Amino acid sequence: MTLNTAQPTRDDGRRRDDDDAPDRLPSRLTEIRAHEFGEPEARHLLLRAGFGGTPSQIRTLAEWGPERSVDYLLAAEDVPYAAPKADRFDANIMRPLSESERREYRSAQQRRDEDTLARFRLLRQQRQRQDRQQIGDVQRWWLERMIETPRPLEEKMTLFWHNHFATSYRTIENSYHMYLQNQFLRTNALGSFADLLYGIIRDPAMIAYLDNNDSRVGQPNENLARELMELFSLGVGNYSERDIKEGARALTGYSFRDDEFVFNHENHDKGNKTILGRRGNLDGEGFVAAILAQPACAQFIATKLYDYFCQHIGTHDPGDEIAVRRTIQSLAGTLRSSDYALTPALRRLMLSRHFYHPTVMGNRIKSPTELVVGSVRSLNTPVRDMGVLLQAMDLMGQNLMYPPSVKGWDGGRTWINTSTIFVRQNALNFLLTGRLPVGYDGNARDERYDPTDLLTEDERRTPRSAASALLRLTLGHTDERTKDDAVRALTGFAREHDDRVNRDVLVGMLLLIAAMPEYQLC
Amino acid sequence: MHHNDSANARAWTRRELLGNGLVMASAAMAMPMFLQRSAFALPGPDLGSIPGVPDDRILVVIQMGGGNDGLNTVAPVGYDAYHRLRPSIRITKQQGITLEDRYSDIALHPALEGLKEMYDSGLMSVVQGVGYPNPNRSHFKSMDIWHTADTTGTGDGWIGRYYDSECCGFGAGESGRAPRQAANQPQARTETVYPPVAIGREAPLAMQGRQTKPVAFETPDLFRWTGEQIHDSLHDPYQKLVRRDPAQAEGNVSSNAEFLMRTSLDAQVSSDKIRQAVAERSLVEYPNSPLASQLSMIAKMIRAGMKTRVYYATHGGFDTHAGQGGANGRHANLLRQFATAVRAFYQDLGQQGNDGRVLTMQFSEFGRRVAQNASGGTDHGTAAPMMLFGPMVNAGVLNPHPSMDNLDGGDLKYTVDFRTVYAGVLDDWMKTDSKTVLEGRYKAAPVIRKL
């Protein structure tokens, strides 16, 4: 055990809580000391605040120590990296018909001019096809960015917000709006949650996804108002059905034209509303302000951050319940006192002993994105074919830009079942060897993968030392029994190849490790 | 005509479903409309076995995700309010498929044409106004409520609990490896188990028991490890690593490690069996839709003699807030896919000679509001009909449409608790004790024909 070497001493006469006992998950966000931060901790930080690191990246952070490492990851903006441009994708594929085109269409309808109508239908189908291609390009672009970025936390948080403010291309059928939303989430990824919440009710993709574009006085659509509170900020039980009805009125007239938010005055309900105890002629901003004033809001966001960065709520040890709850409360307090700025809370968390506790390290199930991006980044494999990787992630249950619902992906153990286990193993077979599993479309570029450089010369000396080093890199800390079993299987495999430690044997070892149930943990 | 409110009041009312939605087990707990229907059947002793029907009975659940608009599925065309509140999306009396004369107040959506023949042959049963107390309009919460059969939407899935409590599920997992148990718990049984199978990438909560883990996959090709094709020498070490005993994870700090090891082990054992079954050709032509391909796979597994007792298929896209259409359009297309898939499924099962073994039950997390919205769609509502299929169902429309005049804030008041339908399926088809599975006593809705 690497942590809790320094026991908290209590000479103030207060009763010492059980959860402060050595080895138990700490219930306070006490800071980790520099000497408690070694390579396992650096590896963990890279996995959680990004998508994992190579052995040399791990060694660098271990030398830097906790504070410099965390601050480096948090200050993503200081790392030069070109921002995506607005014209990166075609904004005009799904432009609505112009006024004159609409007139032509209507008159064709009246005249029952089937030829003209058929032409319009064909045009629409062509545009939809073109747009479906473009959303594929957007997906590939994002996946590539996650793989290549020198600012891993920025993309990790963009992914977090994509899951939080889940919006699906399947419903809105506008790839450019999905791209704009993705950019909005990235720009604010490490900024302030308040800015995100104010911005999301003006986001064309979200407005279309939750049907707010036609919502008007007298006929409010409740969809956005409901999810704004239930899924984006407060959680069930912290608002009433009446708040939804009144909130929906506040959001009437919030719409968009082309790619821009518009506020349709004539559609907005200008009457008095009472939302979450706040009364007045509230508009969308007033509604969001009322939400942000609720203590439940910071608590809700803190819980989701904890779930994403520490461990899945619900799969932690029942004995750690109090420690988890108190930690979330502290995070919520930090969020509140910083007016919802995200970095102070993340900094506190990532510098805490809690974050590096043995029960937290290695106890998260990798999301499909984390599995794929993380494997490429930490094992330095070729990317081979972005399209195949996206198909595989889809089959694992995570199709980027297509969350299953506004709730996003459930994550945790729901990623894993008897079939996704195979998809996960086989995606790694593809990355490591280029072998395309049955049922996929795509061409594997025949790039040879050579993992030799992952290991030092010393580590490559015998099959046993190579196996141990690869296990340390891929699985982190494991119990002795697991390690023994794995080393035995890997060295057994090497024996079939004359006990050599060469490229083929190292790839074979990685294939076997990636098939281990434990490889799904991070 | 039954569509007056006094008839509704005589159906299962809110009063009879007080407290946790539990049905009082008293003789006064009458269900006149159900009894009326079953009176046509010959009374006979219930021997726990239907003559000519094998005991290895199968349940197929079809989930309509997003909240199916029940009012445009079984449309109350005989009520003015329906037409008034849905001016541009209603199903007219002329468009709808009419059933027997005594149900002239309702009509099936015209896209359900494929089901009409099944209905006429006594293979379809409709329960109207199904819901639960204090309906939740969140997709997720309401779906969880249907999956757990619990109005707080928490706990294990109802099918998972069925497996946990029955022979076929106790001990869990295709591998037969039980999860570790506390010392004070009874020893898990060790007989071979056949876990429930879900077609789709996500295993539904309904099938997650304390010990039961469902098998879930989208296509069987993806249901194996490809590493052995890379090099033969990988076979043995792979098998050693993935078939380790999950119990050894006990000392592991990660609570997820044991879960992953168990799932991995189950995957190995299921893989061979299922790929073999699904490689066969279907006996009939299926339409081209995701639901049809799911049902065709299920039919093949049944034909292969797999001993799985519960299968799960999903049909999504029902969240029609905008542009849902009426007799044609988005919702109509979804219903047509449903009807044609179910019809082909039973034709297939009929050719196999397995139709008598397979009950199919459809549900959605909620219906939709009675009035349409400004976007030509409908918002989240409450009660909706459920449909059941198979030669064993108590065929016909089992109860009246809920009142169209006495609404609850623009929503239908439910008249049947969905758990009574589950209880009917569990008690009368799966032959288990629904009280154990549902963790409460619900009077079984007579959805299964008594012989």
Side-chain angles (χ1 to χ4, degrees):
Chain A
M1 200 144 304
T2 51
L3 293 186
N4 296 308
T5 45
Q7 270 189 35
T9 47
R10 284 288 173 79
D11 47 13
D12 56 2
R14 278 161 60 195
R15 189 177 63 87
R16 176 196 270 176
D17 292 345
D18 274 344
D19 45 78
D20 276 338
D23 298 347
R24 291 299 297 270
L25 185 65
S27 62
R28 284 168 195 78
L29 289 173
T30 42
E31 267 194 52
I32 187 173
R33 310 247 177 103
H35 71 269
E36 296 163 339
F37 187 89
E39 287 188 16
E41 287 74 22
R43 177 183 173 276
H44 171 70
L45 177 63
L46 279 164
L47 279 166
R48 299 293 174 90
F51 300 93
T54 60
S56 73
Q57 288 165 349
I58 292 169
R59 277 193 294 271
T60 302
L61 290 207
E63 278 165 32
W64 282 2
E67 237 171 306
R68 184 174 169 197
S69 298
V70 169
D71 285 337
Y72 179 83
L73 288 162
L74 283 171
E77 280 178 344
D78 295 348
V79 181
Y81 193 44
K85 296 201 169 64
D87 63 358
R88 176 71 179 70
F89 295 98
D90 186 347
N92 292 311
I93 300 175
M94 294 306 280
R95 275 274 179 264
L97 299 177
S98 68
E99 192 48 50
S100 69
E101 287 170 320
R102 260 202 298 268
R103 265 200 305 278
E104 192 191 348
Y105 183 74
R106 270 197 301 269
S107 100
Q109 272 183 318
Q110 280 155 7
R111 288 181 285 118
R112 294 175 190 260
D113 173 356
E114 289 300 329
D115 288 349
T116 306
L117 291 177
R119 187 164 53 80
F120 270 101
R121 263 199 305 276
L122 190 68
L123 193 71
R124 183 165 170 76
Q125 281 165 7
Q126 280 169 351
R127 285 163 154 228
Q128 281 174 332
R129 224 183 350 260
Q130 204 186 337
D131 199 56
R132 276 196 296 273
Q133 272 165 15
Q134 177 157 285
I135 194 67
D137 295 340
V138 176
Q139 288 179 311
R140 276 186 283 278
W141 165 81
W142 189 17
L143 185 60
E144 185 174 356
R145 197 173 165 91
M146 287 192 268
I147 289 172
E148 304 297 342
T149 184
R151 306 168 171 179
L153 186 54
E154 179 183 75
E155 293 308 319
K156 189 91 183 231
M157 282 305 287
T158 306
L159 183 61
F160 174 82
W161 295 121
H162 176 49
N163 189 47
H164 185 84
F165 295 113
T167 303
S168 174
Y169 174 76
R170 184 165 286 128
T171 304
I172 70 162
E173 295 188 319
N174 188 318
S175 58
Y176 193 70
H177 288 175
M178 290 302 298
Y179 171 64
L180 287 182
Q181 185 188 69
N182 190 256
Q183 255 310 95
F184 161 70
L185 299 177
R186 179 172 296 101
T187 308
N188 293 282
L190 283 160
S192 145
F193 174 70
D195 292 344
L196 281 157
L197 205 60
Y198 281 116
I200 206 70
I201 61 170
R202 294 166 161 259
D203 174 63
M206 182 59 80
I207 288 171
Y209 186 54
L210 294 181
D211 306 302
N212 209 65
N213 30 351
D214 294 325
S215 188
R216 56 175 176 266
V217 56
Q219 288 174 306
N221 190 309
E222 295 172 5
N223 216 3
L224 178 57
R226 175 185 305 281
E227 307 308 6
L228 194 62
M229 291 188 284
E230 176 180 333
L231 298 174
F232 301 162
S233 65
L234 297 176
V236 172
N238 295 306
Y239 56 87
S240 68
E241 283 290 316
R242 190 195 147 99
D243 292 324
I244 291 173
K245 288 200 165 66
E246 300 275 285
R249 291 175 57 214
L251 289 169
T252 47
Y254 277 58
S255 188
F256 63 92
R257 193 173 301 123
D258 295 341
D259 307 323
E260 302 269 323
F261 169 77
V262 290
F263 178 59
N264 288 326
H265 284 275
E266 67 280 11
N267 289 344
H268 182 67
D269 184 334
K270 296 171 191 71
N272 267 328
K273 303 134 196 133
T274 306
I275 309 173
L276 299 164
R278 187 173 288 214
R279 196 172 152 72
N281 171 16
L282 300 174
D283 58 8
E285 279 66 27
F287 182 16
V288 170
I291 290 172
L292 293 171
Q294 300 289 309
C297 183
Q299 183 76 20
F300 185 76
I301 299 306
T303 306
K304 289 199 78 168
L305 288 172
Y306 184 88
D307 188 272
Y308 193 64
F309 285 105
C310 267
Q311 48 183 346
H312 312 299
I313 306 292
T315 59
H316 59 260
D317 189 309
D320 290 338
E321 181 61 33
I322 292 170
V324 169
R325 216 174 328 136
R326 283 192 191 156
T327 301
I328 291 171
Q329 275 164 5
S330 309
L331 282 179
T334 308
L335 275 174
R336 269 195 299 274
S337 58
S338 66
D339 286 332
Y340 291 103
L342 294 157
T343 48
L346 292 177
R347 188 175 192 279
R348 255 193 105 190
L349 182 65
M350 290 174 187
L351 284 176
S352 70
R353 282 190 174 136
H354 185 108
F355 183 73
Y356 298 95
H357 193 267
T359 59
V360 170
M361 291 207 286
N363 195 22
R364 271 195 102 250
I365 292 175
K366 292 170 183 166
S367 70
T369 310
E370 287 168 328
L371 176 75
V372 167
V373 176
S375 298
V376 176
R377 286 186 75 118
S378 61
L379 302 178
N380 242 333
T381 72
V383 171
R384 299 193 187 277
D385 184 321
M386 215 62 91
V388 170
L389 297 183
L390 285 162
Q391 281 174 60
M393 284 160 60
D394 184 9
L395 287 166
M396 292 173 209
Q398 191 170 40
N399 194 6
L400 294 175
M401 306 277 172
Y402 292 80
S405 73
V406 61
K407 195 186 175 190
W409 291 277
D410 286 340
R413 292 190 182 184
T414 67
W415 293 126
I416 302 297
N417 61 45
T418 46
S419 63
T420 59
I421 279 274
F422 287 125
V423 182
R424 283 170 172 252
Q425 295 176 350
N426 293 340
L428 261 295
N429 292 352
F430 174 70
L431 281 174
L432 295 168
T433 69
R435 175 172 284 267
L436 201 62
V438 186
Y440 286 75
D441 306 319
N443 294 301
R445 283 193 297 278
D446 193 23
E447 251 172 286
R448 263 170 75 89
Y449 168 55
D450 191 345
T452 310
D453 287 345
L454 294 177
L455 306 182
T456 62
E457 216 183 308
D458 212 31
E459 288 166 339
R460 290 197 299 267
R461 211 168 290 276
T462 67
R464 172 170 290 273
S465 61
S468 301
L470 287 178
L471 286 165
R472 211 164 37 242
L473 172 66
T474 49
L475 306 186
H477 172 81
T478 52
D479 60 277
E480 288 304 312
R481 177 85 186 271
T482 305
K483 206 165 102 190
D484 289 349
D485 286 350
V487 168
R488 201 173 307 121
L490 298 181
T491 51
F493 167 74
R495 205 166 305 126
E496 299 284 309
H497 298 265
D498 305 329
D499 273 334
R500 279 195 292 264
V501 181
N502 55 23
R503 189 202 77 104
D504 286 348
V505 168
L506 291 177
V507 170
M509 285 184 174
L510 284 173
L511 287 169
L512 291 167
I513 293 173
M516 287 177 70
E518 290 87 347
Y519 188 71
Q520 309 308 331
L521 293 167
C522 70
Chain B
M1 293 314 253
H2 304 294
H3 55 83
N4 56 52
D5 280 310
S6 65
N8 275 332
R10 277 189 285 113
W12 296 338
T13 65
R14 215 175 261 275
R15 246 175 304 126
E16 285 161 324
L17 298 158
L18 287 174
N20 298 333
L22 292 187
V23 177
M24 305 302 149
S26 80
M29 178 52 231
M31 295 167 292
M33 302 323 292
F34 279 115
L35 292 175
Q36 173 206 6
R37 182 74 199 175
S38 53
F40 288 100
L42 287 171
D46 181 9
L47 301 173
S49 172
I50 299 175
V53 176
D55 269 340
D56 45 355
R57 298 168 183 187
I58 291 169
L59 169 67
V60 177
V61 177
I62 301 178
Q63 169 179 310
M64 286 182 172
N68 174 41
D69 183 12
L71 285 151
N72 272 18
T73 303
V74 179
V77 294
Y79 304 84
D80 290 344
Y82 172 70
H83 300 284
R84 195 173 63 243
L85 293 168
R86 299 187 155 210
S88 69
I89 63 163
R90 72 201 177 103
I91 304 300
T92 65
K93 226 171 173 143
Q94 288 72 31
Q95 289 167 335
I97 299 167
T98 48
L99 305 170
E100 297 98 311
D101 284 350
R102 63 178 179 281
Y103 304 123
S104 64
D105 63 319
I106 55 168
L108 298 184
H109 191 291
L112 295 177
E113 195 195 344
L115 298 181
K116 171 70 164 126
E117 194 190 301
M118 289 186 73
Y119 184 91
D120 290 342
S121 316
L123 299 176
M124 173 174 170
S125 168
V126 177
V127 188
Q128 305 202 78
V130 188
Y132 55 88
N134 304 316
N136 195 302
R137 288 180 190 77
S138 148
H139 289 293
F140 323 104
K141 200 68 195 171
S142 195
M143 198 54 102
D144 287 354
I145 288 168
W146 279 81
H147 279 228
T148 56
D150 177 286
T151 46
T152 64
T154 54
D156 299 321
W158 72 282
I159 298 166
R161 291 202 302 265
Y162 159 73
Y163 266 79
D164 283 350
S165 69
E166 283 289 302
C167 59
C168 45
F170 208 86
E174 189 78 55
S175 61
R177 297 304 180 92
R180 66 171 186 263
Q181 299 200 333
N184 59 355
Q185 284 179 339
Q187 195 60 41
R189 295 193 222 175
T190 52
E191 68 225 54
T192 312
V193 290
Y194 304 93
V197 171
I199 312 293
R201 43 188 79 139
E202 285 176 38
L205 171 61
M207 288 184 158
Q208 310 276 2
R210 196 140 303 169
Q211 289 142 346
T212 300
K213 289 308 294 176
V215 171
F217 59 86
E218 210 162 33
T219 66
D221 284 343
L222 302 164
F223 202 51
R224 66 184 305 182
W225 190 60
T226 58
E228 281 144 321
Q229 298 153 24
I230 294 169
H231 204 278
D232 287 344
S233 59
L234 291 165
H235 176 85
D236 288 352
Y238 171 77
Q239 293 296 332
K240 278 192 195 108
L241 285 173
V242 295
R243 289 178 195 268
R244 278 172 297 148
D245 186 352
Q248 79 176 61
E250 208 159 340
N252 201 311
V253 287
S254 163
S255 63
N256 287 315
E258 185 206 9
F259 164 79
L260 283 159
M261 290 176 83
R262 192 149 37 86
T263 310
S264 167
L265 190 52
D266 287 344
Q268 301 304 320
V269 185
S270 319
S271 169
D272 288 342
K273 280 192 196 174
I274 288 174
R275 279 182 299 120
Q276 223 165 20
V278 179
E280 302 288 321
R281 277 185 71 86
S282 288
L283 295 180
V284 304
E285 199 72 31
Y286 277 82
N288 185 18
S289 73
L291 179 64
S293 102
Q294 293 175 42
L295 292 180
S296 77
M297 276 195 256
I298 291 171
K300 287 189 237 183
M301 288 186 261
I302 292 169
R303 180 154 64 113
M306 279 181 51
K307 298 192 170 174
T308 306
R309 289 198 74 183
V310 184
Y311 293 92
Y312 207 94
T314 48
H315 186 26
F318 284 89
D319 198 14
T320 49
H321 281 284
Q324 95 171 47
N328 293 298
R330 195 170 142 203
H331 185 240
N333 292 341
L334 292 168
L335 290 181
R336 189 171 301 109
Q337 287 177 6
F338 173 74
T340 53
V342 170
R343 187 178 56 178
F345 182 52
Y346 272 91
Q347 282 167 349
D348 192 348
L349 293 172
Q351 287 204 20
Q352 296 175 17
N354 278 325
D355 52 343
R357 292 174 54 206
V358 182
L359 170 71
T360 299
M361 182 184 88
Q362 164 276 343
F363 82 98
S364 189
E365 70 267 38
F366 42 59
R368 309 196 73 88
R369 291 226 160 127
V370 179
Q372 69 180 80
N373 62 23
S375 325
T378 48
D379 293 324
H380 303 181
T382 52
M386 283 176 80
M387 291 177 265
L388 296 98
F389 303 93
M392 72 301 290
V393 298
N394 196 5
V397 178
L398 297 191
N399 60 335
H401 195 277
S403 170
M404 290 295 290
D405 302 317
N406 180 17
L407 301 179
D408 184 4
D411 276 318
L412 295 177
K413 291 182 180 172
Y414 82 101
T415 52
V416 174
D417 190 302
F418 71 98
R419 289 162 294 187
T420 64
V421 179
Y422 287 1
V425 169
L426 290 164
D427 287 335
D428 299 336
W429 181 246
M430 305 306 274
K431 293 292 169 195
T432 186
D433 179 9
S434 69
K435 183 167 173 276
T436 312
V437 176
L438 299 176
E439 292 168 354
R441 188 177 292 287
Y442 297 90
K443 176 94 178 169
V447 289
I448 302 300
R449 187 161 39 98
K450 298 242 162 58
L451 284 178

